[in-house]
Amino acid sequence: MLASETISGYLARARVLTSEMKAVGILLDMTLLMIIVLRGLPISPILPSVPEAIKASWVVDSGAAVHITPEVSTLHNYRATPFRMAVQLGDRKIHWATGYGDVHMQWGGAKFVVRDVWYVPGFKYRLLSVKKLTEKGGEVVFNKIGAYLSMPTAPKVLLGARGGVWFLDVDEHRSARGIAALTVKALRDNAQALLWHQRYGHLSYEGLAHLVEKGLVKGIPVKEDAFRECGSSVCGECVMSKQTRLPFPGSESKTSRKLELVHMDLFGPVSIPSREGHKYVATFVDDYSRVSAVVLLSSKDEVPKIVKLGLTILENRAEAKVKFVRTDRGSEYVNKELKEWYGQKGITDQTTAGYAPEQNGVAERLNRTLLDKARALLMEANLPLSFWGDAFIMASHLRNRSPVHKRDRTPWELFTGQVPDVSGFRVFGCRAYVHVPKQKRTKLGLTKFDSVARPGIYIGPAVNAKAYRILLDDGTVQISRDVTFDEFVRVKPEKPVVWEEDSPKVPAPEDEAAEERAEPAVVHEVPAPPAGQVAEEQADDPAAAHGDGAGSCGVRRSERVRKQPERFIAGSAALPVPPDNIEEAKSRPDWPMWKKACDEEIASLYGNNTWTLVQVSRATRVIGVKWVFSYKFDASGNIERYKARLFAKGYSQVAGIDFDEVFAPIKSRLMSKFEIRDLGEVRVSVPAIQDP
């Protein structure tokens, strides 16, 4: 084991080396492999200590034909039988013996060996056969005074009476095989406990034991004792990420129902933007249930909108009304817009005293808990710091399914009334392989001999879906339920990570699969054009009544170079290429098919009342539109349909004028960003479409 290597990292490396040796035909005996691995470990509390002797009570049974034990670890010279031997009890029940051996006993300072003891798994008692003892020269006496047992090589011993039967209390010595088997079992239990410690974002071992002991969650196949045994070991990631100062005194105030009091706070700014360009985290925590929700923000200006949207979703999900909110005195929470909204909703705003964040201790504690957990997740996964947003969301997801102080149930159960099922938890940042559906392989022109899975990194559960979010090695994020995980392997992204688009695309009605992969886009701020210069072209389609006006502020444009993955170029070289704009479509021989597709799109927009034609004044800045063309192919690769979609040119919006407006028939951008993962999707009435 390397000097700077953790135990989990060492075990993962040993596993990888074993797999590589197996791949080249080198096979190791499991006992030898276990010895090699154990020798490499340092002396640590994680290694279990198995006692060499145990206390045992044997029933001295005059009706038993053979000796029976349910404990295989105390059998010396154990021999497995080629067949199972049936053992019938007095109640006619049948038990099966799978082998036999010798038991080394000790009483009164003398040692004695009982030979040919049958091992019956699952049997409740140890039985000493009087018939077998007397055949070996022993003497068993029962009379009205009591009972005793004597053997040729051991002193006479009195038997004890309990429950109407005679017992012999002895010390049993475990065999070397039994000690090794128990050590391996304990190591397996400790390894599983360590794995769940990592899956739960480095939740304390006592917290994990509490989850299992109280039945707060389902799906953890580890006993609470295994967690507590590992609790004496030191986790480097936990110490490095969670060490703190002494706490402040807590508040004694209590709430009696959900959403009676909601604590809110803003975490940030973070010096390194997240993978999607965020610098802040808005946190919500219900005082009664302690359920938390987090929202990633790019600036403080978004806080009022997020507060209104977040509290509305919480109310709809809990079917209760928010009575009080508690924040610090930051201007993002104390302002005219929120004050008026609180008055309309009947919400009382409570603020802390100046420069006293400890008075909002619940929110501050939540921030620290999420930060500690997110830091541990990033350190364990060895991911770049730009993944802190994904780690923060994952930390909130895990915390809602963890025990909290002075609560007998998890926040998730207190808020929803449902016991959380955590059997789907996986280690954040581990290697994942996403299955490529047959429909996509056909669409991408892949053959039956191409790979059916794509490698990536697990970055958390999907929002409002029973699926996983996987960062593929090409830098894009895919949502899928068909994923295979290798939780002992950590990898760094092979290519620079690109950001996901802020606004979701509108899929064509025919695409029922709804494109599980979110197409990435990198957005940068560029300097403003010179005064009077036209910021964008007129709409490509003559149907656009007005062109884009000149802008005096910064215009956002996508600088991402769209490049098809090289492994797909060969398979798609023969596919037809759709036109880039309306003028190119008109110049092609298949223009009648594209014109039909355009007419169908316009008819659909009018039929769905997507827009309303209005008179535009000179002061109005109009957003242009653009036609996007594509094909739909059948299973044989033939063109099945020509498709045309009309989109607004959102990239021509100007900061300070209409930068935050949404011009697309989709759900609100704020709604899509509000990643309240545990509370499900709640529809909120917000304006989704603006006049084009």
Side-chain angles (χ1 to χ4, degrees), residues 583-633:
E583 298 299 330
E584 182 181 345
K586 290 181 178 179
S587 64
R588 295 170 56 140
D590 56 351
W591 163 242
M593 304 301 295
W594 293 119
K595 186 176 185 301
K596 179 181 178 182
C598 293
D599 293 339
E600 291 175 352
E601 173 70 356
I602 293 295
S604 175
L605 295 175
Y606 275 110
N608 293 323
N609 295 321
T610 304
W611 57 43
T612 302
L613 294 178
V614 296
Q615 187 66 31
V616 180
S617 64
R618 291 180 177 272
T620 303
R621 174 179 169 81
V622 180
I623 301 298
V625 295
K626 176 181 176 64
W627 283 103
V628 177
F629 303 97
S630 62
Y631 296 103
K632 181 179 180 181
F633 300 93

Short mmCIF file of all heavy atoms in Angstrom, two decimals, residues 583-633:
data_model
loop_
_atom_site.label_atom_id
_atom_site.label_comp_id
_atom_site.label_asym_id
_atom_site.label_seq_id
_atom_site.Cartn_x
_atom_site.Cartn_y
_atom_site.Cartn_z
N GLU A 583 -32.93 30.04 -47.54
CA GLU A 583 -32.49 30.33 -48.90
C GLU A 583 -31.88 29.10 -49.56
O GLU A 583 -32.11 28.81 -50.74
CB GLU A 583 -31.47 31.48 -48.88
CG GLU A 583 -32.03 32.79 -48.35
CD GLU A 583 -33.18 33.30 -49.19
OE1 GLU A 583 -33.21 33.03 -50.42
OE2 GLU A 583 -34.07 33.95 -48.62
N GLU A 584 -31.09 28.35 -48.77
CA GLU A 584 -30.51 27.12 -49.32
C GLU A 584 -31.58 26.10 -49.62
O GLU A 584 -31.50 25.38 -50.62
CB GLU A 584 -29.49 26.54 -48.33
CG GLU A 584 -28.80 25.28 -48.85
CD GLU A 584 -27.81 24.71 -47.86
OE1 GLU A 584 -27.46 25.44 -46.90
OE2 GLU A 584 -27.40 23.56 -48.03
N ALA A 585 -32.60 26.03 -48.79
CA ALA A 585 -33.69 25.09 -49.03
C ALA A 585 -34.42 25.41 -50.33
O ALA A 585 -34.80 24.49 -51.08
CB ALA A 585 -34.66 25.10 -47.85
N LYS A 586 -34.62 26.72 -50.61
CA LYS A 586 -35.32 27.11 -51.84
C LYS A 586 -34.52 26.77 -53.10
O LYS A 586 -35.09 26.54 -54.16
CB LYS A 586 -35.61 28.60 -51.81
CG LYS A 586 -36.68 29.01 -50.80
CD LYS A 586 -36.92 30.52 -50.85
CE LYS A 586 -38.02 30.93 -49.88
NZ LYS A 586 -38.26 32.39 -49.90
N SER A 587 -33.20 26.73 -52.97
CA SER A 587 -32.37 26.46 -54.14
C SER A 587 -32.19 24.98 -54.43
O SER A 587 -31.56 24.64 -55.43
CB SER A 587 -30.99 27.12 -53.94
OG SER A 587 -30.32 26.51 -52.83
N ARG A 588 -32.73 24.12 -53.61
CA ARG A 588 -32.53 22.68 -53.78
C ARG A 588 -33.69 22.08 -54.56
O ARG A 588 -34.82 22.60 -54.51
CB ARG A 588 -32.38 22.01 -52.41
CG ARG A 588 -31.13 22.47 -51.68
CD ARG A 588 -31.08 22.01 -50.24
NE ARG A 588 -31.20 20.57 -50.11
CZ ARG A 588 -30.50 19.84 -49.24
NH1 ARG A 588 -29.61 20.42 -48.48
NH2 ARG A 588 -30.69 18.55 -49.15
N PRO A 589 -33.45 20.96 -55.25
CA PRO A 589 -34.53 20.33 -56.02
C PRO A 589 -35.66 19.78 -55.15
O PRO A 589 -36.78 19.59 -55.64
CB PRO A 589 -33.81 19.22 -56.79
CG PRO A 589 -32.55 18.96 -56.02
CD PRO A 589 -32.16 20.28 -55.46
N ASP A 590 -35.39 19.49 -53.86
CA ASP A 590 -36.44 18.97 -52.99
C ASP A 590 -37.14 20.09 -52.20
O ASP A 590 -37.72 19.85 -51.13
CB ASP A 590 -35.85 17.93 -52.00
CG ASP A 590 -34.71 18.50 -51.19
OD1 ASP A 590 -34.24 19.62 -51.49
OD2 ASP A 590 -34.28 17.82 -50.25
N TRP A 591 -37.09 21.34 -52.73
CA TRP A 591 -37.76 22.45 -52.06
C TRP A 591 -39.25 22.21 -51.83
O TRP A 591 -39.76 22.59 -50.76
CB TRP A 591 -37.54 23.74 -52.86
CG TRP A 591 -38.49 24.85 -52.49
CD1 TRP A 591 -39.40 25.45 -53.29
CD2 TRP A 591 -38.64 25.48 -51.20
NE1 TRP A 591 -40.11 26.40 -52.63
CE2 TRP A 591 -39.66 26.44 -51.31
CE3 TRP A 591 -38.03 25.31 -49.97
CZ2 TRP A 591 -40.07 27.24 -50.27
CZ3 TRP A 591 -38.44 26.11 -48.91
CH2 TRP A 591 -39.44 27.06 -49.06
N PRO A 592 -40.00 21.58 -52.74
CA PRO A 592 -41.43 21.34 -52.44
C PRO A 592 -41.65 20.56 -51.14
O PRO A 592 -42.62 20.83 -50.42
CB PRO A 592 -41.91 20.54 -53.66
CG PRO A 592 -41.00 20.97 -54.76
CD PRO A 592 -39.66 21.17 -54.12
N MET A 593 -40.75 19.59 -50.81
CA MET A 593 -40.90 18.84 -49.57
C MET A 593 -40.60 19.73 -48.36
O MET A 593 -41.29 19.65 -47.34
CB MET A 593 -39.95 17.64 -49.58
CG MET A 593 -40.14 16.71 -50.78
SD MET A 593 -41.83 16.06 -50.87
CE MET A 593 -41.89 15.08 -49.39
N TRP A 594 -39.57 20.59 -48.48
CA TRP A 594 -39.26 21.50 -47.37
C TRP A 594 -40.36 22.54 -47.19
O TRP A 594 -40.69 22.91 -46.06
CB TRP A 594 -37.92 22.20 -47.61
CG TRP A 594 -36.73 21.28 -47.56
CD1 TRP A 594 -35.85 21.03 -48.56
CD2 TRP A 594 -36.31 20.48 -46.46
NE1 TRP A 594 -34.90 20.12 -48.15
CE2 TRP A 594 -35.17 19.78 -46.85
CE3 TRP A 594 -36.80 20.29 -45.16
CZ2 TRP A 594 -34.50 18.90 -46.02
CZ3 TRP A 594 -36.13 19.41 -44.32
CH2 TRP A 594 -35.00 18.73 -44.75
N LYS A 595 -40.92 23.03 -48.31
CA LYS A 595 -42.01 24.00 -48.22
C LYS A 595 -43.22 23.39 -47.52
O LYS A 595 -43.89 24.03 -46.70
CB LYS A 595 -42.40 24.50 -49.61
CG LYS A 595 -43.45 25.62 -49.60
CD LYS A 595 -43.73 26.13 -51.00
CE LYS A 595 -44.69 27.33 -50.94
NZ LYS A 595 -45.97 26.99 -50.30
N LYS A 596 -43.52 22.13 -47.81
CA LYS A 596 -44.62 21.43 -47.15
C LYS A 596 -44.36 21.33 -45.65
O LYS A 596 -45.27 21.54 -44.83
CB LYS A 596 -44.80 20.05 -47.75
CG LYS A 596 -45.90 19.24 -47.11
CD LYS A 596 -46.01 17.85 -47.73
CE LYS A 596 -47.10 17.02 -47.05
NZ LYS A 596 -47.17 15.64 -47.61
N ALA A 597 -43.10 21.03 -45.26
CA ALA A 597 -42.77 20.95 -43.85
C ALA A 597 -42.92 22.30 -43.17
O ALA A 597 -43.41 22.41 -42.04
CB ALA A 597 -41.34 20.42 -43.67
N CYS A 598 -42.52 23.39 -43.87
CA CYS A 598 -42.67 24.74 -43.31
C CYS A 598 -44.14 25.09 -43.12
O CYS A 598 -44.54 25.67 -42.10
CB CYS A 598 -41.99 25.76 -44.21
SG CYS A 598 -40.19 25.64 -44.27
N ASP A 599 -44.96 24.74 -44.12
CA ASP A 599 -46.39 25.04 -44.01
C ASP A 599 -47.01 24.29 -42.83
O ASP A 599 -47.87 24.82 -42.11
CB ASP A 599 -47.10 24.65 -45.31
CG ASP A 599 -46.67 25.53 -46.48
OD1 ASP A 599 -46.15 26.66 -46.23
OD2 ASP A 599 -46.85 25.11 -47.64
N GLU A 600 -46.60 23.04 -42.63
CA GLU A 600 -47.13 22.26 -41.50
C GLU A 600 -46.72 22.89 -40.16
O GLU A 600 -47.50 22.92 -39.20
CB GLU A 600 -46.62 20.82 -41.58
CG GLU A 600 -47.20 20.02 -42.74
CD GLU A 600 -46.59 18.64 -42.86
OE1 GLU A 600 -45.62 18.36 -42.13
OE2 GLU A 600 -47.10 17.85 -43.67
N GLU A 601 -45.49 23.39 -40.09
CA GLU A 601 -45.02 24.02 -38.85
C GLU A 601 -45.81 25.29 -38.55
O GLU A 601 -46.24 25.52 -37.42
CB GLU A 601 -43.53 24.32 -38.95
CG GLU A 601 -42.95 25.13 -37.80
CD GLU A 601 -42.89 24.35 -36.49
OE1 GLU A 601 -43.37 23.20 -36.46
OE2 GLU A 601 -42.38 24.91 -35.50
N ILE A 602 -46.01 26.13 -39.58
CA ILE A 602 -46.77 27.37 -39.39
C ILE A 602 -48.21 27.05 -38.99
O ILE A 602 -48.78 27.68 -38.09
CB ILE A 602 -46.75 28.20 -40.69
CG1 ILE A 602 -45.33 28.71 -40.97
CG2 ILE A 602 -47.71 29.38 -40.59
CD1 ILE A 602 -44.80 29.68 -39.93
N ALA A 603 -48.80 26.05 -39.63
CA ALA A 603 -50.17 25.67 -39.28
C ALA A 603 -50.25 25.17 -37.84
O ALA A 603 -51.21 25.46 -37.12
CB ALA A 603 -50.66 24.59 -40.25
N SER A 604 -49.23 24.42 -37.41
CA SER A 604 -49.21 23.93 -36.03
C SER A 604 -49.10 25.08 -35.04
O SER A 604 -49.76 25.09 -34.00
CB SER A 604 -48.05 22.95 -35.85
OG SER A 604 -47.93 22.55 -34.51
N LEU A 605 -48.24 26.05 -35.32
CA LEU A 605 -48.08 27.20 -34.42
C LEU A 605 -49.36 28.01 -34.31
O LEU A 605 -49.75 28.44 -33.22
CB LEU A 605 -46.93 28.09 -34.91
CG LEU A 605 -45.53 27.45 -34.87
CD1 LEU A 605 -44.50 28.38 -35.49
CD2 LEU A 605 -45.14 27.13 -33.43
N TYR A 606 -50.04 28.23 -35.46
CA TYR A 606 -51.31 28.96 -35.42
C TYR A 606 -52.37 28.13 -34.70
O TYR A 606 -53.19 28.66 -33.93
CB TYR A 606 -51.77 29.31 -36.83
CG TYR A 606 -51.16 30.59 -37.36
CD1 TYR A 606 -50.23 30.57 -38.38
CD2 TYR A 606 -51.55 31.82 -36.84
CE1 TYR A 606 -49.67 31.74 -38.87
CE2 TYR A 606 -51.00 33.00 -37.33
CZ TYR A 606 -50.05 32.96 -38.33
OH TYR A 606 -49.51 34.11 -38.80
N GLY A 607 -52.38 26.81 -34.96
CA GLY A 607 -53.39 25.97 -34.33
C GLY A 607 -53.26 25.90 -32.82
O GLY A 607 -54.25 25.75 -32.11
N ASN A 608 -52.03 26.01 -32.30
CA ASN A 608 -51.79 25.96 -30.85
C ASN A 608 -51.79 27.34 -30.20
O ASN A 608 -51.46 27.46 -29.02
CB ASN A 608 -50.45 25.28 -30.56
CG ASN A 608 -50.46 23.82 -30.95
OD1 ASN A 608 -51.46 23.14 -30.78
ND2 ASN A 608 -49.33 23.33 -31.46
N ASN A 609 -52.15 28.39 -30.98
CA ASN A 609 -52.18 29.76 -30.45
C ASN A 609 -50.84 30.14 -29.82
O ASN A 609 -50.77 30.70 -28.72
CB ASN A 609 -53.32 29.92 -29.43
CG ASN A 609 -54.68 29.75 -30.07
OD1 ASN A 609 -54.91 30.20 -31.20
ND2 ASN A 609 -55.58 29.08 -29.37
N THR A 610 -49.77 29.78 -30.53
CA THR A 610 -48.43 30.05 -29.99
C THR A 610 -48.15 31.53 -29.89
O THR A 610 -47.47 31.99 -28.98
CB THR A 610 -47.38 29.36 -30.89
OG1 THR A 610 -47.69 27.97 -30.98
CG2 THR A 610 -45.98 29.53 -30.31
N TRP A 611 -48.62 32.32 -30.85
CA TRP A 611 -48.38 33.76 -30.80
C TRP A 611 -49.64 34.54 -31.17
O TRP A 611 -50.63 33.98 -31.62
CB TRP A 611 -47.22 34.15 -31.71
CG TRP A 611 -47.37 33.76 -33.15
CD1 TRP A 611 -48.47 33.88 -33.94
CD2 TRP A 611 -46.38 33.17 -33.99
NE1 TRP A 611 -48.23 33.43 -35.18
CE2 TRP A 611 -46.93 32.99 -35.25
CE3 TRP A 611 -45.04 32.81 -33.79
CZ2 TRP A 611 -46.23 32.45 -36.32
CZ3 TRP A 611 -44.34 32.28 -34.85
CH2 TRP A 611 -44.93 32.09 -36.10
N THR A 612 -49.57 35.83 -30.95
CA THR A 612 -50.64 36.75 -31.33
C THR A 612 -50.01 37.91 -32.09
O THR A 612 -49.04 38.53 -31.61
CB THR A 612 -51.39 37.28 -30.10
OG1 THR A 612 -51.91 36.17 -29.37
CG2 THR A 612 -52.53 38.19 -30.53
N LEU A 613 -50.52 38.20 -33.27
CA LEU A 613 -49.99 39.30 -34.07
C LEU A 613 -50.44 40.63 -33.46
O LEU A 613 -51.61 40.85 -33.19
CB LEU A 613 -50.48 39.19 -35.52
CG LEU A 613 -49.95 37.99 -36.31
CD1 LEU A 613 -50.54 37.98 -37.71
CD2 LEU A 613 -48.43 38.01 -36.37
N VAL A 614 -49.47 41.53 -33.21
CA VAL A 614 -49.76 42.83 -32.61
C VAL A 614 -49.04 43.91 -33.41
O VAL A 614 -48.11 43.63 -34.18
CB VAL A 614 -49.31 42.88 -31.13
CG1 VAL A 614 -50.09 41.89 -30.30
CG2 VAL A 614 -47.81 42.62 -31.02
N GLN A 615 -49.47 45.15 -33.23
CA GLN A 615 -48.83 46.28 -33.88
C GLN A 615 -47.56 46.63 -33.09
O GLN A 615 -47.60 46.79 -31.86
CB GLN A 615 -49.77 47.49 -33.90
CG GLN A 615 -49.24 48.66 -34.72
CD GLN A 615 -49.16 48.34 -36.21
OE1 GLN A 615 -49.95 47.56 -36.71
NE2 GLN A 615 -48.19 48.93 -36.89
N VAL A 616 -46.43 46.75 -33.76
CA VAL A 616 -45.15 46.99 -33.09
C VAL A 616 -44.78 48.45 -33.22
O VAL A 616 -44.80 49.02 -34.32
CB VAL A 616 -44.05 46.11 -33.71
CG1 VAL A 616 -42.71 46.36 -33.00
CG2 VAL A 616 -44.43 44.64 -33.62
N SER A 617 -44.42 49.07 -32.10
CA SER A 617 -44.00 50.47 -32.11
C SER A 617 -42.52 50.57 -32.46
O SER A 617 -41.80 49.58 -32.48
CB SER A 617 -44.27 51.10 -30.74
OG SER A 617 -43.48 50.47 -29.76
N ARG A 618 -42.08 51.82 -32.70
CA ARG A 618 -40.68 52.01 -33.06
C ARG A 618 -39.73 51.67 -31.90
O ARG A 618 -38.59 51.29 -32.12
CB ARG A 618 -40.46 53.47 -33.47
CG ARG A 618 -41.12 53.87 -34.78
CD ARG A 618 -40.86 55.33 -35.10
NE ARG A 618 -41.43 55.70 -36.39
CZ ARG A 618 -40.77 55.58 -37.55
NH1 ARG A 618 -39.53 55.12 -37.56
NH2 ARG A 618 -41.34 55.93 -38.68
N ALA A 619 -40.23 51.84 -30.67
CA ALA A 619 -39.36 51.60 -29.49
C ALA A 619 -39.23 50.11 -29.16
O ALA A 619 -38.44 49.74 -28.30
CB ALA A 619 -39.91 52.35 -28.28
N THR A 620 -40.02 49.27 -29.83
CA THR A 620 -40.00 47.84 -29.51
C THR A 620 -38.83 47.14 -30.20
O THR A 620 -38.61 47.33 -31.39
CB THR A 620 -41.31 47.16 -29.94
OG1 THR A 620 -42.40 47.82 -29.29
CG2 THR A 620 -41.30 45.70 -29.57
N ARG A 621 -38.07 46.36 -29.43
CA ARG A 621 -36.98 45.57 -29.99
C ARG A 621 -37.53 44.19 -30.31
O ARG A 621 -38.00 43.47 -29.42
CB ARG A 621 -35.82 45.47 -29.01
CG ARG A 621 -34.72 44.53 -29.47
CD ARG A 621 -33.58 44.50 -28.45
NE ARG A 621 -32.64 43.43 -28.75
CZ ARG A 621 -31.67 43.50 -29.65
NH1 ARG A 621 -31.54 44.59 -30.36
NH2 ARG A 621 -30.85 42.49 -29.85
N VAL A 622 -37.47 43.77 -31.53
CA VAL A 622 -38.07 42.51 -31.99
C VAL A 622 -37.00 41.45 -32.13
O VAL A 622 -35.92 41.71 -32.67
CB VAL A 622 -38.80 42.71 -33.34
CG1 VAL A 622 -39.42 41.41 -33.81
CG2 VAL A 622 -39.85 43.80 -33.20
N ILE A 623 -37.31 40.25 -31.65
CA ILE A 623 -36.41 39.11 -31.76
C ILE A 623 -36.72 38.38 -33.07
O ILE A 623 -37.86 38.03 -33.35
CB ILE A 623 -36.58 38.15 -30.57
CG1 ILE A 623 -36.28 38.88 -29.26
CG2 ILE A 623 -35.67 36.94 -30.73
CD1 ILE A 623 -34.86 39.40 -29.16
N GLY A 624 -35.70 38.13 -33.86
CA GLY A 624 -35.89 37.44 -35.13
C GLY A 624 -36.10 35.94 -34.95
O GLY A 624 -36.00 35.40 -33.85
N VAL A 625 -36.42 35.26 -36.04
CA VAL A 625 -36.64 33.82 -36.01
C VAL A 625 -35.77 33.15 -37.07
O VAL A 625 -35.24 33.79 -37.97
CB VAL A 625 -38.13 33.47 -36.26
CG1 VAL A 625 -39.00 34.00 -35.15
CG2 VAL A 625 -38.59 34.04 -37.61
N LYS A 626 -35.64 31.86 -36.94
CA LYS A 626 -34.78 31.09 -37.85
C LYS A 626 -35.40 29.72 -38.08
O LYS A 626 -35.91 29.11 -37.15
CB LYS A 626 -33.39 30.93 -37.27
CG LYS A 626 -32.45 30.07 -38.09
CD LYS A 626 -31.09 29.94 -37.43
CE LYS A 626 -30.18 29.00 -38.21
NZ LYS A 626 -29.88 29.51 -39.57
N TRP A 627 -35.34 29.27 -39.33
CA TRP A 627 -35.81 27.93 -39.67
C TRP A 627 -34.68 26.93 -39.45
O TRP A 627 -33.54 27.16 -39.82
CB TRP A 627 -36.27 27.86 -41.13
CG TRP A 627 -37.62 28.46 -41.37
CD1 TRP A 627 -37.90 29.66 -41.93
CD2 TRP A 627 -38.89 27.86 -41.05
NE1 TRP A 627 -39.26 29.87 -41.98
CE2 TRP A 627 -39.89 28.77 -41.45
CE3 TRP A 627 -39.26 26.65 -40.48
CZ2 TRP A 627 -41.24 28.51 -41.29
CZ3 TRP A 627 -40.61 26.38 -40.31
CH2 TRP A 627 -41.59 27.30 -40.72
N VAL A 628 -35.02 25.80 -38.83
CA VAL A 628 -34.08 24.69 -38.64
C VAL A 628 -34.67 23.46 -39.31
O VAL A 628 -35.81 23.07 -39.02
CB VAL A 628 -33.83 24.41 -37.14
CG1 VAL A 628 -32.91 23.21 -36.96
CG2 VAL A 628 -33.24 25.64 -36.47
N PHE A 629 -33.89 22.85 -40.21
CA PHE A 629 -34.38 21.73 -41.01
C PHE A 629 -33.67 20.43 -40.61
O PHE A 629 -32.49 20.46 -40.23
CB PHE A 629 -34.15 21.99 -42.51
CG PHE A 629 -34.79 23.26 -43.00
CD1 PHE A 629 -34.06 24.42 -43.11
CD2 PHE A 629 -36.13 23.28 -43.36
CE1 PHE A 629 -34.64 25.60 -43.57
CE2 PHE A 629 -36.72 24.44 -43.82
CZ PHE A 629 -35.97 25.62 -43.92
N SER A 630 -34.40 19.32 -40.70
CA SER A 630 -33.81 18.01 -40.39
C SER A 630 -34.63 16.92 -41.08
O SER A 630 -35.74 17.17 -41.56
CB SER A 630 -33.77 17.77 -38.88
OG SER A 630 -35.08 17.76 -38.35
N TYR A 631 -34.04 15.73 -41.11
CA TYR A 631 -34.72 14.57 -41.67
C TYR A 631 -35.14 13.63 -40.55
O TYR A 631 -34.55 13.60 -39.48
CB TYR A 631 -33.79 13.78 -42.61
CG TYR A 631 -33.35 14.53 -43.84
CD1 TYR A 631 -32.06 15.07 -43.92
CD2 TYR A 631 -34.19 14.67 -44.93
CE1 TYR A 631 -31.63 15.74 -45.05
CE2 TYR A 631 -33.77 15.34 -46.08
CZ TYR A 631 -32.50 15.89 -46.13
OH TYR A 631 -32.08 16.54 -47.24
N LYS A 632 -36.14 12.82 -40.85
CA LYS A 632 -36.49 11.70 -40.01
C LYS A 632 -36.32 10.43 -40.84
O LYS A 632 -36.88 10.32 -41.93
CB LYS A 632 -37.92 11.80 -39.49
CG LYS A 632 -38.29 10.62 -38.57
CD LYS A 632 -39.71 10.74 -38.05
CE LYS A 632 -40.04 9.55 -37.15
NZ LYS A 632 -41.41 9.61 -36.64
N PHE A 633 -35.51 9.48 -40.32
CA PHE A 633 -35.19 8.28 -41.06
C PHE A 633 -35.95 7.09 -40.50
O PHE A 633 -36.28 7.04 -39.32
CB PHE A 633 -33.68 8.00 -41.00
CG PHE A 633 -32.84 9.10 -41.58
CD1 PHE A 633 -32.34 10.11 -40.76
CD2 PHE A 633 -32.53 9.14 -42.92
CE1 PHE A 633 -31.55 11.13 -41.28
CE2 PHE A 633 -31.75 10.14 -43.46
CZ PHE A 633 -31.26 11.15 -42.62
#
